[in-house]
Every structure is written in C-alpha cells, then in structure tokens.
Amino acid sequence: MKILAILYKGGNAATSEPRLLGTVENQLGIRKWLESQGHEYIVSDSKEGADSDFQKHIADAEILITTPFHPGYLTADLVAKAKKLKLCVTAGVGSDHIDLNAAVKNGIQVLEVSGSNVVSVAEHVVMSILLLVRNFVPAHEMIERGDWMVSDIARNAFDLEGKVVGTIGAGRIGYRVLQRLMPFDCKELLYFDYAPLPEAAAKAVNARRVEDLKDFVSQCDVITVNCPLHEGTLGLVNADLLKHFKKGAWLVNTARGAICDKDAVAAALASGHLNGYAGDVWNVQPAPKDHVLRTAKNTLGGGNGMVPHYSGTTLDAQARYASGTKSIIENYLSGKAQEPQNIIVGIGKFETKAYGQR
Ligand code: NAD
C-alpha cells in the first residue's frame, strides 16, 4: 500500500533535533514501522502545482497524511484523481485544507489527532493576548535597536485585569483559553459558539454566552478566534463585523487565517479601530513575503504579534500528534474502530459538528 505524507521541511534544525517529528526529515517517526509491514512510504514537502510530489503520488496513494502547518490542499479536483485514496490523516488539529464535502462524496475518511495540540495553542493565545495588551513587541524591538524611551511604549501598554475577553468558539482550545485566563481577574469572560457549553463547564470558568456575534464583539476588549474554518466561518471577521468591535480592541487568531479578512484587519489597524492583531495562521501557507499581515501596524507603529504557524507544533505537541497519527493508521490497517473524537468524516458522512452544523 502507498502512504503519502506531505510534511514541512525541517532543514538543519530537523537533522540536529530528532523530536521535530512533523518534518520531512523525521517523517513522523513511522518509516521503519510502515516499511517493516511492506508498505511504501513517500514523504515530501513538495505540494504546489502539477509537478509536485503531492499531485504525482496522490493518484495511487491509499493513505494521505498532511499537517495544517504546511497544508497539502486536497481540493475536489485532486480528490477526483485520487482513485485509491481511502483515508486522510491530519497530523494535528484542523482539516479545512481537505475538501471535506468531496471526501464525503467519495467515501474517503478524514481523521485528525483531536486534542493533540490544544494546550499548546491555548498557551500561545494567552501569550499573544498579553503581548498585545502590554505592547511587548515594540518594547523588545526598541531594546534591540539600542534605544530607551519608556513613554513611547507605556502610552499603549495596559493591564489585562479588568478587561473583557471573549472567544469565538468554546471547544477544546477556546475553553482552555478561558480556563487559563481565570487568574487574570478579567472584568468578564465571554464566548460565542453555536453549541452552548454544558452549564457546569460554563460555571467553572465563569463565562457568559452571547448569542449574537455583533453584540458579542461589541462587548469585548480582546477577541480570540478558536473555531474551525468552514463555509460558515470563512471571512467571518470582515470589514462589516470589525465595525462592531470596540475602538482599540485587540484580536488574536490562532484558528485559521481565512477566518479573518486580512485586508480588513490591516485597514482596521491602520485606522486605529484595532489596536493589535496577533496569531500564527495565514490565509495561505507559507505566507507570501509581501503578505499584508507580516507588517501591518497600528497607528503607533506596533500591534503586530504575527508569527509563522507554530503554536500547535511545539516539541511536546509533535510527540502527541505523531503517536496519534500512528494509532489512526494502525487502527485502519488492522480494521480496529477509530477513536470517535478523531473522526471528522466517516465513510460517506460527517461525524463532527465542529465544521458547521450539518
Ligand atoms: P473543537 O472542535 O474542540 O472546537 C471548535 C468549536 O468551535 C466548537 O465548540 C464549535 O461548536 C465551534 N464553532 C464551529 N463553528 C462555529 C461558528 N461559526 N461560530 C462559533 N463557534 C463555532 O476544536 P479545537 O480543538 O478547539 O480547535 C479549533 C480550531 O483551532 C481547529 O479547527 C483549527 O482550525 C485551529 N487549530 C490551530 C492550531 C495552530 O497550530 N494554530 C492548532 C490546533 C487547532
């Protein structure tokens, strides 16, 4: 059986750090195991265009492994070419780079390693909120430049205490963000999600649900995006919604780049309506060199906390998603039932509600 993995190139870092399991070099640590069973295992980072390894090998691969960090976009056109494909495994969380409707139609299962990096991302969210609210990046840049002007930084530095923080999506990550924010004594923690939290869970983090999105954003000083990308969330944070944000609000997006309209975000920063934008996800990955969110700034020349997509690929997370990927493939090969929480698309049907209420 042919198993194709599209992973990111690790370069020198991966040859000297074997725990970088999600790289082309370290191959999720499953080559020996797969080959010992007689399978062919193709691993590459080449994913764009007709000559890419992705497009070449998808034609006869039975299992496709991808990661959200260097997404191999499995479009409906490619699904049509993938005559032998039976299983897509996302090594990580978030399978929006797979055309899920095409997978359903063609009987291809889509599984992800649910929960594998949710703490990693939640920690990154809390860090990003703090670095925006406290105006950290310009302060550090000032130090590197050799300058020292406290007032230039302090004029836009605040405490998180007393602010209203809200999450769009209160699933595994969103809920963990709320849990981690509790000791900061925020004025209020809010959430917007079409699935209400169980009463005890909401009470445990003292979070209030707001059912209307515009109403929700208008109450928040800080908004963190933690819902999946699907038809209902593509461009959800756009120029129209941004108008309803409080002036000077901070926005953190570690969910998916395409949930926020990049040009609308850049314009809101430039006009002063948004005070900051941070996160690690981009509408195309790798982000082009001239992507507007690499350099977009607020009116004081700060407010940008963007980094490459790495919040969910800490070494701790890689250990978890590599071993989760192996278990999913092991179950598939041996005909054992998959863990229900990992199944996004079962045979011919959606198994999760997280990608939209279907
Ligand atoms: P989850 O399935 O546990 O939770 C998602 C929540 O979003 C659910 O409660 C769902 O009801 C809610 N939701 C769906 N559509 C919504 C909408 N239109 N409005 C409001 N809420 C909506 O998923 P999770 O583990 O918390 O992960 C969430 C997303 O974070 C993933 O889908 C992925 O895109 C992203 N993620 C990013 C990284 C990273 O490295 N940056 C890593 C892991 C996950």
Side-chain angles (χ1 to χ4, degrees):
M1 172 187 311
K2 184 187 266 191
I3 297 161
L4 170 64
I6 300 299
L7 304 176
Y8 57 88
K9 207 183 202 102
N12 289 338
T15 40
S16 59
E17 178 47 85
R19 291 174 297 174
L20 276 167
L21 285 166
T23 58
V24 169
E25 290 78 0
N26 297 325
Q27 317 198 328
L28 293 165
I30 54 175
R31 175 173 290 285
K32 260 197 199 147
W33 171 68
L34 288 173
E35 288 182 345
S36 71
Q37 300 179 51
H39 300 302
E40 186 187 1
Y41 186 37
I42 310 278
V43 180
S44 176
D45 70 325
S46 146
K47 67 183 181 85
E48 306 294 340
D51 292 334
S52 64
D53 288 338
F54 183 30
Q55 297 213 12
K56 250 188 282 170
H57 291 287
I58 198 67
D60 60 348
E62 182 164 333
I63 300 180
L64 170 68
I65 305 170
T66 53
T67 77
F69 311 105
H70 182 70
Y73 297 100
L74 189 72
T75 57
D77 284 354
L78 284 186
V79 168
K81 287 188 195 151
K83 298 281 183 233
K84 292 197 172 165
L85 189 62
K86 295 275 183 312
L87 173 69
C88 295
V89 187
T90 300
V93 173
S95 300
D96 49 275
H97 55 287
I98 309 284
D99 187 320
L100 298 174
N101 293 319
V104 170
K105 233 191 264 163
N106 289 275
I108 299 167
Q109 298 183 68
V110 181
L111 280 91
E112 54 186 50
V113 191
S114 290
S116 57
N117 53 17
V118 295
V119 166
S120 322
V121 179
E123 289 185 0
H124 194 99
V125 172
V126 174
M127 174 186 77
S128 301
I129 291 174
L130 283 170
L131 69 82
L132 288 183
V133 171
R134 306 202 58 90
N135 207 18
F136 178 86
V137 175
H140 180 68
E141 287 169 347
M142 172 184 284
I143 286 300
E144 284 204 336
R145 277 198 312 272
D147 293 341
W148 186 285
M149 191 64 190
V150 173
S151 55
D152 279 356
I153 300 301
R155 69 191 294 192
N156 198 27
F158 299 84
D159 296 341
L160 184 55
E161 179 179 277
K163 304 295 181 290
V164 177
V165 184
T167 175
I168 299 180
R172 294 177 184 86
I173 297 173
Y175 190 74
R176 280 165 179 75
V177 170
L178 295 173
Q179 284 179 314
R180 280 156 182 74
L181 287 175
M182 288 190 67
F184 286 94
D185 292 328
C186 294
K187 185 173 177 190
E188 222 185 348
L189 297 178
L190 306 180
Y191 75 98
F192 170 81
D193 194 313
Y194 51 55
L197 285 167
E199 206 178 316
K203 211 166 157 200
V205 291
N206 202 12
R208 176 166 66 85
R209 181 176 181 220
V210 181
E211 286 188 46
D212 177 78
L213 184 58
K214 288 179 177 160
D215 182 21
F216 166 82
V217 298
S218 73
Q219 297 182 49
C220 295
D221 298 298
V222 181
I223 289 159
T224 149
V225 184
N226 298 295
C227 58
L229 173 62
H230 55 72
E231 292 93 330
T233 58
L234 177 70
L236 187 69
V237 181
N238 53 27
D240 180 45
L241 188 69
L242 280 161
K243 280 190 215 142
H244 296 268
F245 277 47
K246 274 191 190 171
K247 184 169 164 40
W250 297 275
L251 175 61
V252 172
N253 178 15
T254 52
R256 283 295 177 260
I259 297 172
C260 298
D261 177 326
K262 63 178 175 38
D263 297 312
V265 167
L269 281 167
S271 74
H273 195 64
L274 264 189
N275 198 351
Y277 183 76
D280 67 330
V281 286
W282 304 77
N283 61 326
V284 204
Q285 294 188 179
K289 280 209 160 65
D290 61 351
H291 195 290
V292 66
L293 292 179
R294 283 183 185 261
T295 50
K297 297 278 194 313
N298 64 19
T299 51
L300 297 172
N304 188 324
M306 290 302 288
V307 294
H309 191 169
Y310 85 101
S311 71
T313 190
T314 58
L315 293 182
D316 301 293
Q318 297 197 39
R320 291 188 293 263
Y321 69 64
S323 92
T325 299
K326 186 177 177 195
S327 317
I328 290 170
I329 295 175
E330 212 161 22
N331 290 341
Y332 176 79
L333 295 174
S334 65
K336 222 173 117 192
Q338 299 286 358
E339 306 254 356
Q341 78 269 14
N342 289 342
I343 311 176
I344 304 302
V345 172
I347 300 173
K349 61 178 181 8
F350 276 91
E351 293 287 352
T352 177
K353 287 202 166 63
Y355 283 80
Q357 289 179 309
R358 294 170 197 266

